[in-house]
Amino acid sequence: MRIGELARRAGVSERALRYYEAQGLLTPERRPSGYRVYGEADVAAVRRIRILLAAGLNTAQIREILPCIIDEDGWLTPDCPELVDALRQQRSRLDEAIGELETTRANLDTIIGAGNGKS
């Protein structure tokens, strides 16, 4: 299938697909004319990429772990033992960021609350 068809079926823009290719996440076949040709497996690959992006991973991380991710009935599962450790580290980074944001929000709430007492 060509890029427009993959974009439609995967629910992403053609620009996103070109970006994924530039990042090494997709490797479409190329016709002599230069047109990209994608296979059925690329629809599933784009789905996995989107899920991993939504999980907070960047494209460099996704490029590393994509070969170790399998799709079991719509659930992504790590297939390499070392991947689980890397994902746990990513989750720890997210937990730290969430904690910092909660502290920032509490500080802002304090400032807002102090301002409510003034007329």
Side-chain angles (χ1 to χ4, degrees), residues 6-67:
L6 177 60
R8 185 186 63 73
R9 290 190 50 202
V12 299
S13 68
E14 291 180 20
R15 183 177 180 195
L17 295 175
R18 288 186 195 97
Y19 176 73
Y20 298 159
E21 180 183 355
Q23 297 300 305
L25 304 177
L26 289 176
T27 52
E29 240 181 82
R30 290 285 189 150
R31 300 256 184 210
S33 62
Y35 285 112
R36 293 169 178 87
V37 178
Y38 297 91
E40 194 63 35
D42 291 313
V43 177
V46 171
R47 181 186 164 281
R48 288 190 299 275
I49 292 165
R50 302 293 292 173
I51 291 170
L52 294 168
L53 285 168
L57 301 174
N58 64 43
T59 55
Q61 293 167 317
I62 293 171
R63 185 176 51 250
E64 279 185 43
I65 70 169
L66 204 53

Side-chain angles (χ1 to χ4, degrees), residues 81-119:
E82 65 276 7
L83 176 57
V84 174
D85 290 336
L87 293 174
R88 284 188 178 125
Q89 289 174 354
Q90 177 67 12
R91 186 179 58 199
S92 291
R93 285 191 291 275
L94 287 173
D95 288 342
E96 288 175 27
I98 289 167
E100 291 172 9
L101 287 170
E102 287 174 339
T103 299
T104 301
R105 182 181 57 202
N107 290 337
L108 187 55
D109 287 345
T110 299
I111 293 167
I112 292 168
N116 284 340
K118 296 181 181 180
S119 300

